[in-house]
Amino acid sequence: MLKYLIFISSLLTLSACDNISNQSVLMDPSKPSMRTPELSSLGFFHAIYVERDVDKAKLFVDDSMKEILSHYYIAASVQRHMFNLSLTNVELEVDEVDIDFFRKATKDVTVVVKLLGSREGQFWVDDRTLRLSKRDGKWIITEVVPERRSVNG
């Protein structure tokens, strides 16, 4: 009986714990956070496609990608030349993360982000793959993986 009481009380204690700061970052992707590969990826695409702010996007990438972003200068050029995908009214979601369960041992990951928006007046769904590395406790985007195929739907 004592074991059951301890078990139930521990479950209630765990369910009562809530990370409010983590929720607020997940709900507001405009706040830069690089604590997880998902947050870094969503923050990067949010800066390019929603806020259209290349300087903010530079916070999520390594030095070589910062040079590329600086070259294109405006978000529309980044969309057109880096991603070959100009969209408006964009919604973002993480589609897939190539990472182990424990995350602490992983230093390099691949994240696939699904972009939903309007392209030339039509609804468009596409995805983009990013490679990220963990540096000084932050997940930094090191590469946009070249796409092999077009996706719509």
Side-chain angles (χ1 to χ4, degrees):
M1 180 69 177
L2 183 60
K3 289 181 184 180
Y4 291 116
L5 285 174
I6 293 173
F7 178 72
I8 289 172
S9 65
S10 65
L11 281 178
L12 290 174
T13 304
L14 288 175
S15 65
C17 294
D18 196 33
N19 188 350
I20 299 299
S21 64
N22 189 24
Q23 284 183 351
S24 65
V25 171
L26 288 173
M27 289 193 289
D28 188 2
S30 65
K31 294 180 182 177
S33 176
M34 295 178 278
R35 289 182 287 157
T36 67
E38 297 91 341
L39 289 174
S40 289
S41 301
L42 289 175
F44 174 71
F45 280 118
H46 191 270
I48 295 295
Y49 280 98
V50 177
E51 295 180 36
R52 297 182 178 270
D53 185 350
V54 174
D55 289 329
K56 192 167 192 177
K58 289 179 186 178
L59 298 172
F60 299 97
V61 300
D62 69 354
D63 291 337
S64 63
M65 284 190 63
K66 283 180 185 174
E67 289 180 30
I68 295 169
L69 290 172
S70 295
H71 173 75
Y72 291 122
Y73 188 65
I74 61 172
S77 294
V78 172
Q79 291 179 25
R80 187 171 40 255
H81 297 290
M82 277 185 74
F83 301 114
N84 194 24
L85 183 64
S86 296
L87 294 175
T88 57
N89 303 321
V90 177
E91 294 180 23
L92 306 164
E93 59 186 59
V94 174
D95 194 35
E96 181 180 329
V97 181
D98 177 27
I99 193 167
D100 70 346
F101 179 73
F102 296 104
R103 291 186 183 237
K104 293 185 182 202
T106 303
K107 297 291 183 202
D108 297 307
V109 299
T110 304
V111 176
V112 178
V113 176
K114 185 181 286 188
L115 298 108
L116 303 94
S118 297
R119 184 175 185 178
E120 299 173 1
Q122 295 184 355
F123 181 71
W124 193 267
V125 177
D126 214 323
D127 60 20
R128 291 295 182 259
T129 305
L130 302 173
R131 284 206 177 95
L132 295 91
S133 292
K134 191 169 190 177
R135 298 181 185 162
D136 298 326
K138 297 179 181 178
W139 288 97
I140 304 294
I141 299 167
T142 58
E143 180 186 6
V144 176
V145 178
E147 292 300 309
R148 298 181 190 165
R149 59 180 169 73
S150 295
V151 175
N152 187 16

